[in-house]
Amino acid sequence: MSNPLRHLLALMVSFSGAANAADDPWDRVPPPAESLFKAHVDLDEAGQSRLSFGGHARSMFEYYRNRDFGFAPIRDDAWVHHRVQVFGVWQEGDDFKLMTELTWGEMQGMRNEQSPPDEDQLDLLQLYAQARLELGARSSLVLRAGRQTLYYGSGRLLAHREGANQRLVHDALRLSWRMPDWNVDAILASPVRIGPGEFDNASYFQRTLLWGLYATGPSVFGEGHGMDIYYLGRRLDSSPLSDGQQEIRHTFGTRLFGKEGPWSYNHEFILQTGDVADRDILAGAVSLGLGHTWKDQLFQPTLGFRGDLISGGQGSGEINTFDPLFQANNYFNEGGFVSPSNLYNLNPRLSLQLTKSLSLDLGVNFLWRFDTGDAVYTPPFNAVAGAAPNGERYLGTAYNAALAWDPHSSFDLSIGFTHHEAGPSLTSVGGRSVDYLQIAARIEF
């Protein structure tokens, strides 16, 4: 095992963590936006039986100079993508729900080869049934079966791929034990792969199987503080680290976050074990986040800091490369240049509320390789640059700026820019500096 990994695991043992349980455990897809129009039909006088309708539309322009640090077949590329999602829900009080959601998306202008999430003909995004059984005055069991979104915690391991044109969903069976202070979810799922035609998206449980337990409740620090404790198992028929070989990876983690006056925090500690062929897996990650808001000052500034230690390294008998499973693509910044694997990251940032509806975010990422003998990975988990030839560690500095206008909770317009100045660990293997521009408009209806 590499010395940096020993230090990381020692740090994980010395901390314990958690998260807040304020959100509904079934609908953890941020942001929970209000619809522009209220569209529902009551099927009884009490309003317990109801049909609801709504949707979401987004258009986004993206430009890359030196995409994938210049390793893409066409380095400079730009495109516009659109997506529309519409849903209908039949609900019988809190006891039963039937939900279906359709999605469509197209990509215009991209010169590089498209990936499946870039475009989709009309297809099912979600289709599930949900039933609730009361266990007493203060607890219940809720079962949701079918195609659905899985989003937990900060999206470090299970997210909905919001940066891409088409969101990630799973065909899943999810059983939740809901109590006043705790929610415990049991999950059995497989990710849905996007096909090229209409209504051809499908999951393949024999290729990718996900299972686990995820518990959310209060922490010992009192009101406003909470904790997540979880286990996630995943089996792949072909490992991204050893093509054609089965991989089984077990992920154990805990997250703590909360607010105390002007301070907020979000920490997560993760350990991974398992095996790929005849090699054992021992990997981990630590993410520490802290912020302070001055609400009585001009522009209500929030100064934040985040640090990440994410293991890497592969040998003949052991794999130390952390796998982020189904993480958010824009983990470090909107450009999504690197995947959270084999990295050190330091990220100071400043947020300003310029007006009631206009906000500005500024930040810097300082990035190093955790193990110089391991690759540089881009989302979702693709190795694009090999080992640093002379042990160069510094990957570079990313400067980020984002401006968002939110005149109504159902609508927003945003523009973001990131410049990643490539460091010696990239330039030594042929990598280049990257520029990224994003302009997006979203509406909930």
Side-chain angles (χ1 to χ4, degrees), residues 362-402:
L362 304 170
V364 183
N365 293 96
F366 303 97
L367 297 162
W368 296 262
R369 291 200 208 207
F370 189 96
D371 187 303
T372 59
D374 200 354
V376 177
Y377 296 88
T378 60
F381 190 48
N382 302 317
V384 296
N390 298 306
E392 298 91 348
R393 193 174 294 275
Y394 191 55
L395 289 167
T397 308
Y399 304 93
N400 316 300

Side-chain angles (χ1 to χ4, degrees), residues 31 34 48 53 90 92 95 101 144 154 161 193 199 201 210 222 313-315 354 367 369 381 401 417 441 445:
E34 179 186 352
Q48 291 295 302
F53 307 94
W90 170 34
E92 292 289 333
D95 295 330
E101 185 173 17
R144 179 180 284 188
S154 298
R161 198 172 55 204
R193 303 190 182 197
F199 296 101
N201 297 350
L210 173 72
Q314 300 180 45
L354 302 180
L367 297 162
R369 291 200 208 207
F381 190 48
F417 177 78
F445 54 86

Side-chain angles (χ1 to χ4, degrees), residues 123-308:
D123 219 309
L124 280 172
L125 183 66
Q126 297 193 87
L127 177 61
Y128 63 78
Q130 176 177 310
R132 178 172 173 266
L133 174 65
E134 289 284 353
L135 298 180
R138 296 175 60 82
S139 68
S140 62
L141 287 177
V142 182
L143 177 67
R144 179 180 284 188
R147 185 163 297 179
Q148 56 191 278
T149 300
L150 299 179
Y151 192 106
Y152 285 92
S154 298
R156 291 188 176 98
L157 297 168
L158 272 174
H160 58 339
R161 198 172 55 204
E162 181 61 17
N165 192 17
Q166 292 299 296
R167 287 174 168 172
L168 173 66
V169 293
H170 288 74
D171 286 336
L173 187 67
R174 184 161 48 158
L175 180 65
S176 179
W177 181 21
R178 305 174 73 165
M179 296 161 282
D181 294 328
W182 282 89
N183 294 301
V184 182
D185 288 3
I187 307 165
L188 180 67
S190 184
V192 174
R193 303 190 182 197
I194 296 175
E198 295 182 347
F199 296 101
D200 60 350
N201 297 350
S203 61
Y204 301 90
F205 281 75
Q206 72 277 17
R207 298 184 189 176
T208 305
L209 181 64
L210 173 72
W211 65 93
L213 291 170
Y214 203 104
T216 302
S219 78
V220 297
F221 300 113
E223 186 176 354
H225 307 268
M227 65 185 306
D228 293 347
I229 305 172
Y230 55 86
Y231 160 73
L232 298 171
R234 189 192 64 181
R235 188 198 71 220
L236 299 175
D237 69 337
S238 181
S239 170
L241 301 177
S242 185
D243 189 44
Q245 300 293 325
Q246 178 178 271
E247 175 183 313
I248 297 179
R249 189 175 291 250
H250 307 284
T251 299
F252 306 87
T254 182
R255 187 175 75 103
L256 62 82
F257 73 84
K259 298 186 70 175
E260 186 71 38
W263 292 94
S264 60
Y265 62 93
N266 185 358
H267 310 319
E268 193 153 2
F269 309 91
I270 306 171
L271 173 67
Q272 292 184 333
T273 64
D275 60 81
V276 179
D278 58 348
R279 292 191 293 172
D280 293 329
I281 296 172
L282 184 58
V286 172
S287 181
L288 304 176
L290 187 65
H292 187 284
T293 300
W294 290 266
K295 285 208 172 276
D296 57 347
Q297 300 298 316
L298 182 65
F299 303 139
Q300 301 179 25
T302 295
L303 185 62
F305 172 81
R306 184 168 122 186
D308 298 274

Side-chain angles (χ1 to χ4, degrees), residues 329-360:
N329 285 356
N330 51 353
Y331 185 84
F332 295 111
N333 50 55
E334 289 303 323
F337 303 147
V338 291
S339 183
S341 184
N342 191 35
L343 287 175
Y344 297 103
N345 168 59
L346 294 178
N347 176 210
R349 60 181 300 172
L350 174 66
S351 298
L352 301 172
Q353 193 68 42
L354 302 180
T355 70
K356 184 178 179 180
S357 59
L358 189 65
S359 60
L360 175 66

Side-chain angles (χ1 to χ4, degrees), residues 77 80 93 281-282 392 420 428 439:
D77 207 351
V80 177
I281 296 172
L282 184 58
E392 298 91 348
H420 184 114
S428 64
I439 303 173

